[in-house]
Amino acid sequence: MITQRSFEREDERAQMVARQLQTRGIDDPRVLAAMLAVPRHRFMPANVAGRAYADGAQPIGHGVTISQPYIVALMTQLAELEAGETVLEIGTGSGYQAAVLAELGATVYTIERIAALARRAEATLHELGYANVEVRHADGYAGWPERAPFDAILLTAAPPKLPEALTDQLALGGRLVAPVGSDLGWQQLIVIEREQDALVRKKVLDVAFVPMLPGTISD
Ligand code: SAH
């Protein structure tokens, strides 16, 4: 959990929680508290940080975006994480979603394919005092077998179809939340739960994420 709480721009976060999240049905008090606590602007480059609490995704460089606050909150709520559980995130990006998951007391493993983003996210998370997040520069298509199984898995980049390596790393009773689809404009946000002998799949809503691409980019 965060060690040095920042009250910077807290009024804007409170408005974001009330207007963008509660009105759309985010009602888990722990998720709302996490969204109020994490200083989203600190995860964004200076040229867009002014828009940190606006109701939309924002560009963070390298052709990728930090997701809309509502989508971050929704995916977090759908993951139904308890303190002490472990979660795998594919697509670290800015590190913001990872910080929100860490606020719930989960141990977070997060993978990013672009080295520069992985490094920057790691530095931001460290500066803000998140000790329960591990960032790895790798291709998320393989998951993180050494740390599996995970109580929850979140994909914040969209694969054309769900990679089996990832569902294989889901614990019994675990939840996987992901945008899936090959259409670059829209994908479906789905939740998959691993039950005794089946994967149960539910569709939540249409979303627009950046694609999950194979391979890594170093510099
Ligand atoms: N969760 C992020 C938003 C991520 S945008 C945040 O809170 O800011 C999606 C990210 O997924 C991008 O940074 C992109 O580089 C990354 N990505 C795409 N394909 C990937 C893959 N195969 N493995 C790991 N990361 C991937």
Side-chain angles (χ1 to χ4, degrees):
M1 247 163 280
I2 195 161
T3 48
Q4 299 156 293
R5 241 200 107 138
S6 160
F7 294 102
E8 226 175 62
R9 299 181 68 176
E10 197 180 43
D11 291 352
E12 287 174 82
R13 279 196 295 287
Q15 278 197 6
M16 172 189 84
V17 166
R19 294 185 189 166
Q20 300 174 33
L21 309 185
Q22 292 184 294
T23 53
R24 292 186 177 119
I26 304 298
D27 56 6
D28 182 335
R30 299 171 317 137
V31 174
L32 296 170
M35 296 296 292
L36 182 64
V38 180
R40 179 171 162 96
H41 61 282
R42 296 283 300 272
F43 292 85
M44 295 170 63
N47 63 323
V48 290
R51 295 200 291 276
Y53 301 101
D55 191 10
Q58 304 292 341
I60 55 168
H62 305 270
V64 308
T65 51
I66 179 173
S67 306
Q68 180 188 17
Y70 167 60
I71 294 296
V72 173
L74 178 64
M75 291 180 77
T76 306
Q77 180 162 281
L78 291 168
E80 294 179 359
L81 277 169
E82 300 291 337
E85 289 192 326
T86 57
V87 54
L88 173 67
E89 179 196 21
I90 309 297
T92 314
S94 67
Y96 175 66
Q97 171 76 76
V100 171
L101 295 166
E103 281 289 338
L104 299 183
T107 300
V108 184
Y109 298 97
T110 181
I111 304 179
E112 172 56 53
R113 70 186 285 272
I114 300 176
L117 285 175
R119 273 200 309 272
R120 192 170 72 197
E122 194 168 34
T124 309
L125 289 160
H126 180 77
E127 265 167 43
L128 292 171
Y130 289 98
N132 50 337
V133 183
E134 215 179 307
V135 182
R136 180 190 229 184
H137 173 230
D139 179 355
Y141 273 100
W144 198 322
E146 302 85 349
R147 297 283 187 265
F150 299 99
D151 299 300
I153 300 179
L154 262 70
L155 274 63
T156 64
K161 62 185 188 57
L162 211 53
E164 212 171 291
L166 296 181
T167 47
D168 284 351
Q169 292 176 25
L170 195 57
L172 188 62
R175 292 80 50 199
L176 181 148
V177 185
V180 178
S182 49
D183 182 335
L184 282 187
W186 293 99
Q187 309 96 26
Q188 294 194 333
L189 187 66
I190 59 161
V191 178
I192 288 190
E193 187 158 350
R194 177 177 290 287
E195 295 188 354
Q196 222 26 274
D197 38 27
L199 292 171
V200 179
R201 182 178 177 126
K202 272 183 286 187
K203 196 210 134 180
V204 184
L205 83 170
D206 289 337
V207 287
F209 274 80
V210 301
M212 183 164 162
L213 301 171
T216 57
I217 296 181
S218 307
D219 42 24

